[in-house]
Amino acid sequence: MNNRWKSYDSGSFFDELLTSTGNPRMAARGIVKFLKDLPEDELDERRAAAELAIRDMGISFTVYTEGGNIDRNWPFDIIPRAITAKEWARVSTGLKQRSRALNCFIDDVYNKQKILADGIVPADIVLQSTNYKPQCQGVSPRYGAWAHICGSDLVRNKDGKFYVLEDNLRVPSGVSYMLENREITKRVLPELFENYSILPVDDYPSQLYKTLASLSPQLKRKPCIAVLTPGIYNSAYFEHAFLAQSMGAELVEGSDLFTDDDDCVYMRTVDGPVRVDVIYRRIDEDFIDPEVFREDSMLGVPGIMRAWKAGNLAIANAPGSGVADDKVIYAFVPDMIRYYLKEEPLMECVKTYLCMLEKDREYVLANLDKLVVKPANESGGYGMMVGPHATPEKRREFAALIESNPRNYIAQPTLSLSTAPTYIDHTVEPRHLDLRPFILQGKDVWVTPGGLTRVAMVKGSLVVNSSQGGGSKDTWIVERSK
């Protein structure tokens, strides 16, 4: 056996590939056997091949620093994560249920507001949220779908169950890296694909196109779909270009579009204006239309909101959908499922303390050393504090922040995030991880088979975000293995 595996020990954490006795889990038997049988130097060679493929394929992301923006190669671990198709079917069904309820909630908030009137969700925390956009009041997009692309972050606790940690409903990113992770793994571990039946992920662009096309206000065979990007300096520009090319859609910036007197949006081309039917926006809604939101925005399209409200243009995700992308609102999603769908939630949420509630706030302030504290509307791992790993000074800083603006903070228990074997410095070590599947909702609801597994590359760390030093793995949903 390869010596790199002999000392592997995930401790008390649930490990994705190995049981507590060191035996491979059902979905991972072939993976573990193959990797253990590889000569030690060959694992190094295959990792080097993966790094070369990442450079050749130009897979990168941007980290914003005080000294400027830095483009980095995508951090990738070659050891895949494996989940059985049977287990994933339950997760997928739960995510579809969650997506339907969230979209019902957004549509209700901007129209009848029944859930607020009935006191299921407190009206003040919704209507006073920075993500609530009164400019969207009275609009109901096709199929009642606002958050057409959702990335829900899942974690597995030591009990082995998946929990929803949070939902990303504004401009969720990472799906291109999910697709590229599979492509890289096929290059460097081709033998494994001969012995496994793994659900494919490469149909995501076609599923995304199908979802976006279903939103078109014009009933025509091939609607004009455009991906609206802030430009090459955005951290996710690689993904914007990747998805546009994969779908056969147009990649545009705000200056490429204009709204005419007929309240339709057109794209400037060498052959003259072309009407755009659907825009997949990858810019924050505050910058999308200087006529309605930020007047100083140079990224958006003046009049685009007029076109959307007139029903002449579909926008995904719809402006205003961020009202449900709030870590305070997250705590009420199980109630939304019961209220709108008359069903019990199929997936559990992580226990969440709302600092705006006096009882919760007192508990959080007394237990900062045990909790993870997050601002309600940040993303990318910014502005959070992991209590057990924080200094006393940092905990005092967050106590002051909570007391000065309790509505803006939530807290959750420090979970025993699952681990997976990860190739670090020529040895195999356990690292904590999460999973971001992507849910598409238009005429139908569809969930990726797996998603983007993000890995905390630093030993003992629970922060998996790439902007904070995290990496990723290929995620396999396994129907069968030999």
Side-chain angles (χ1 to χ4, degrees), residues 267-343:
M267 176 175 57
R268 295 181 172 91
T269 75
V270 293
D271 296 320
V274 174
R275 181 176 167 182
V276 178
D277 299 301
V278 183
I279 289 179
Y280 176 21
R281 68 173 177 96
R282 295 304 299 259
I283 67 175
D284 189 88
E285 59 203 1
D286 285 339
F287 296 91
I288 199 170
D289 188 342
E291 289 184 2
V292 176
F293 298 115
R294 287 188 54 157
E295 296 179 359
D296 60 344
S297 173
M298 303 294 290
L299 300 176
V301 184
I304 194 174
M305 287 290 289
R306 280 191 283 112
W308 177 64
K309 285 185 172 184
N312 296 327
L313 174 74
I315 304 176
N317 284 343
S321 56
V323 71
D325 189 350
D326 180 313
K327 295 177 180 64
V328 173
I329 299 298
Y330 157 90
F332 294 92
V333 175
D335 296 324
M336 295 178 198
I337 293 172
R338 298 184 186 99
Y339 184 79
Y340 293 116
L341 307 182
K342 313 303 180 189
E343 300 171 357

Side-chain angles (χ1 to χ4, degrees), residues 30-264:
I31 297 172
V32 174
K33 183 180 186 307
F34 176 80
L35 292 174
K36 284 185 175 181
D37 289 345
L38 275 182
E40 293 190 10
D41 57 348
E42 189 168 337
L43 199 55
D44 284 329
E45 292 172 3
R46 298 204 185 208
R47 184 179 69 170
E51 292 173 350
L52 180 61
I54 289 169
R55 288 196 296 271
D56 287 347
M57 295 163 71
I59 308 173
S60 64
F61 71 104
T62 303
V63 176
Y64 298 122
T65 67
E66 292 182 1
N69 301 340
I70 302 173
D71 284 331
R72 292 180 176 171
N73 288 333
W74 181 242
F76 174 74
D77 180 66
I78 67 171
I79 303 176
R81 172 192 201 165
I83 302 168
T84 64
K86 182 179 180 181
E87 181 177 21
W88 189 251
R90 295 192 295 270
V91 173
S92 178
T93 302
L95 291 173
K96 289 179 181 178
Q97 178 195 57
R98 193 174 180 91
S99 178
R100 288 196 300 270
L102 284 165
N103 276 285
C104 286
F105 170 73
I106 303 168
D107 198 52
D108 188 15
V109 163
Y110 288 114
N111 289 280
K112 297 181 179 179
Q113 299 188 350
K114 290 178 62 179
I115 198 168
L116 307 184
D118 290 343
I120 305 301
V121 179
D124 59 337
I125 72 168
V126 175
L127 302 181
Q128 294 175 18
S129 169
T130 57
N131 288 332
Y132 170 70
K133 305 299 180 184
Q135 300 91 335
C136 300
Q137 201 68 41
V139 180
S140 187
R142 178 168 289 187
Y143 311 116
W146 292 69
H148 309 95
I149 302 98
C150 173
S152 290
D153 292 341
L154 310 183
V155 293
R156 206 198 294 252
N157 206 355
K158 59 185 176 183
D159 59 8
K161 290 172 55 178
F162 278 109
Y163 293 82
V164 181
L165 183 65
E166 62 184 51
D167 303 292
N168 299 279
L169 303 168
R170 282 173 286 185
V171 282
S173 63
V175 74
S176 63
Y177 300 114
M178 174 192 78
L179 301 174
E180 297 289 33
N181 285 351
R182 177 61 53 84
E183 184 63 29
I184 297 165
T185 307
K186 284 181 177 179
R187 290 191 185 194
V188 300
L189 297 173
E191 303 94 333
L192 282 174
F193 288 86
E194 298 173 4
N195 299 322
Y196 270 89
S197 176
I198 305 162
L199 294 182
V201 295
D202 54 5
D203 62 339
Y204 178 84
S206 63
Q207 292 289 349
L208 177 60
Y209 180 88
K210 179 181 176 182
T211 297
L212 296 175
S214 75
L215 308 176
S216 174
Q218 294 195 92
L219 299 178
K220 57 184 183 181
R221 185 177 178 185
K222 191 173 181 181
C224 180
I225 298 175
V227 178
L228 177 59
T229 176
I232 60 173
Y233 297 109
N234 184 264
S235 62
Y237 181 76
F238 169 84
E239 177 160 296
H240 306 165
F242 177 93
L243 290 174
Q245 183 179 32
S246 300
M247 287 191 293
E250 303 292 338
L251 181 66
V252 299
E253 297 182 30
S255 58
D256 298 320
L257 306 175
F258 68 94
T259 307
D260 213 341
D261 294 338
D262 59 358
D263 287 344
C264 293

